[in-house]
Amino acid sequence: FLGPAWCFARMGQSVTPLPDGRIVLIAGEHEDGYDPDFNIYNDVTVYHPDGSLDLFGYPREIFSPTDFHTATLIGDRIIVIGNLGYPDDRRSDATQVVELDTVTWGVRVISTSAESPGWIYDQVAELSEDGRHIVVRGGMIDPGKRDEKCPLMENPDQWSLNLENWQWQRITHQAWERYAFGAEGLRRLPFWILEHLPFTLQYYADSKPDPEKPTP
């Protein structure tokens, strides 16, 4: 077994049409973390109208593995915001922002300032009418409290990223109280996956050895 390999059956990959008919597909992941084939990619694929493909790969230090992000086309640039990524790559005090040049296909990480949404993913991003801001809403946030086993949390607020000075602005401030529920012996569960609790309970019940059955 060789481990994860390049595969184009992906989740969390962005698809951005360009005015000339090309389509830009950015990164994404294959399978889930529990699967031996799980992998998060940091590549860019350009699909041409004639069916040909351009594939671009980047060093990890330039473009980290990225999935469940947004991709906003602004002229010759695509602004990539957010990332679920691998747990060890996440920073609870920062939001990943990357600029992709659709002429050179160069990638650069953008340093932003002011209070940001944090490590957000699976959100919605929209360009403002004046074209000067990207407004971000929804999605999930990793609070980064690994030692407390704190689950991912919903993002209740809207945020604006200024495209001139790369400064964040918090548009709303919803002071919601958020709780995590769990069953004894199971990991904590946020509200948005409570619907899966029966399946989770059965899964863990089936995975526990039956004391009445001898061990082979």
Side-chain angles (χ1 to χ4, degrees):
F1 177 71
L2 299 178
W6 193 91
C7 178
F8 211 67
R10 302 183 184 184
M11 301 177 289
Q13 180 185 64
S14 62
V15 179
T16 306
L18 300 182
D20 61 8
R22 292 177 297 169
I23 300 175
V24 181
L25 302 101
I26 302 176
E29 69 172 38
H30 176 64
E31 296 293 356
D32 287 320
Y34 56 79
D35 194 286
D37 291 329
F38 173 66
N39 198 28
I40 305 176
Y41 301 93
N42 63 337
D43 55 6
V44 171
T45 301
V46 182
Y47 176 81
H48 293 263
D50 63 4
S52 61
L53 298 172
D54 293 329
L55 304 176
F56 298 92
Y58 304 88
R60 187 186 177 101
E61 58 271 18
I62 294 178
F63 185 27
S64 63
T66 298
D67 54 347
F68 298 100
H69 52 277
T70 59
T72 306
L73 179 64
I74 304 172
D76 292 330
R77 303 176 298 162
I78 296 177
I79 305 301
V80 178
I81 298 177
N83 181 17
L84 176 57
Y86 295 111
D88 290 344
D89 292 340
R90 301 173 193 166
R91 290 180 49 199
S92 60
D93 62 341
T95 301
Q96 179 172 292
V97 179
V98 174
E99 179 186 78
L100 171 65
D101 189 317
T102 62
V103 176
T104 67
W105 301 108
V107 168
R108 73 181 181 102
V109 176
I110 296 175
S111 297
T112 61
S113 60
E115 181 188 8
S116 72
W119 198 265
I120 191 171
Y121 75 98
D122 206 22
Q123 74 282 3
V124 174
E126 296 177 331
L127 186 64
S128 63
E129 292 184 3
D130 60 10
R132 298 173 59 189
H133 302 82
I134 294 178
V135 178
V136 172
R137 58 182 172 81
M140 304 295 295
I141 296 173
D142 186 338
K145 300 179 180 179
R146 300 278 180 269
D147 55 336
E148 301 179 16
K149 297 182 180 180
C150 187
L152 300 169
M153 301 187 303
E154 293 178 82
N155 166 45
D157 290 304
Q158 293 189 34
W159 305 77
S160 176
L161 179 61
N162 189 308
L163 297 173
E164 296 177 356
N165 58 16
W166 301 112
Q167 187 174 75
W168 284 101
Q169 178 184 2
R170 189 171 189 165
I171 300 175
T172 63
H173 198 299
Q174 307 288 352
W176 293 356
E177 292 187 6
R178 288 172 285 184
Y179 299 89
F181 292 85
E184 184 178 354
L186 300 180
R187 60 184 176 85
R188 298 180 183 180
L189 300 174
F191 279 125
W192 64 278
I193 56 173
L194 280 179
E195 62 180 303
H196 301 300
L197 184 56
F199 168 80
T200 304
L201 288 170
Q202 187 61 46
Y203 174 83
Y204 276 86
D206 292 343
S207 65
K208 292 180 180 179
D210 187 342
E212 300 299 326
K213 294 183 179 180
T215 303

